[in-house]
Amino acid sequence: MNNAHFDTIDAYIATFPRAIQTILEEIRTTIRKAAPDAEEAIRYGIPTFRLQGNLVHFAAFKNHIGFYPTPSGTEAFKDEIAPYRAGKGTIQFPLDAPMPLGLITKIVKFRVKESMAAKVAVKKK
């Protein structure tokens, strides 16, 4: 991963080889469709989608795409992410396999519901 500072997701993606750029754009488009009200940002130096706070992050590495849906996002899908290297709030999708865009969609939609429920809970207080 490039350690330079980026102001936009476009600037981040542009630093990678064409094949990786294509994968990153697919992931970006998948997240946009699953969370149309989320805003794009760079947080922690990587692409981030925000909706009432950080929703998900993603980043490219030498051999994988890191996807960061928070610990609740990995816990809720622990059976489906079992084939991948995963930890508390992180999933690694290998670059030599098709990106699981359907799984990414499901996780992002889960995170949107979670974020909106948190917003409602705050309003009720």
Side-chain angles (χ1 to χ4, degrees):
M1 186 173 104
N2 189 335
N3 289 326
H5 174 75
F6 307 101
D7 292 324
T8 66
I9 292 177
D10 287 326
Y12 177 89
I13 290 173
T15 65
F16 291 93
R18 189 58 155 139
I20 303 303
Q21 288 181 23
T22 299
I23 293 167
L24 292 170
E25 284 293 351
E26 286 176 340
I27 292 168
R28 181 186 196 181
T29 299
T30 298
I31 295 168
R32 273 189 186 154
K33 286 180 182 175
D37 295 329
E39 296 177 1
E40 291 189 353
I42 296 289
R43 295 288 188 273
Y44 311 107
I46 60 175
T48 302
F49 279 79
R50 295 178 50 80
L51 185 68
Q52 312 300 321
N54 293 336
L55 193 65
V56 296
H57 311 273
F58 63 98
F61 294 90
K62 182 178 179 182
N63 297 311
H64 70 275
I65 298 293
F67 185 65
Y68 311 98
T70 73
S72 64
T74 55
E75 181 62 27
F77 293 90
K78 63 183 174 187
D79 293 339
E80 292 178 71
I81 66 172
Y84 306 102
R85 287 190 66 179
K88 186 176 179 181
T90 70
I91 310 166
Q92 293 181 7
F93 300 126
L95 288 172
D96 62 356
M99 284 297 116
L101 300 177
L103 176 58
I104 291 170
T105 297
K106 287 168 42 173
I107 294 170
V108 172
K109 286 183 177 184
F110 169 82
R111 288 288 297 126
V112 167
K113 286 180 187 175
E114 192 172 53
S115 177
M116 299 313 288
K119 178 182 176 182
V120 170
V122 168
K123 282 186 177 183
K124 287 183 179 182
K125 287 184 178 182

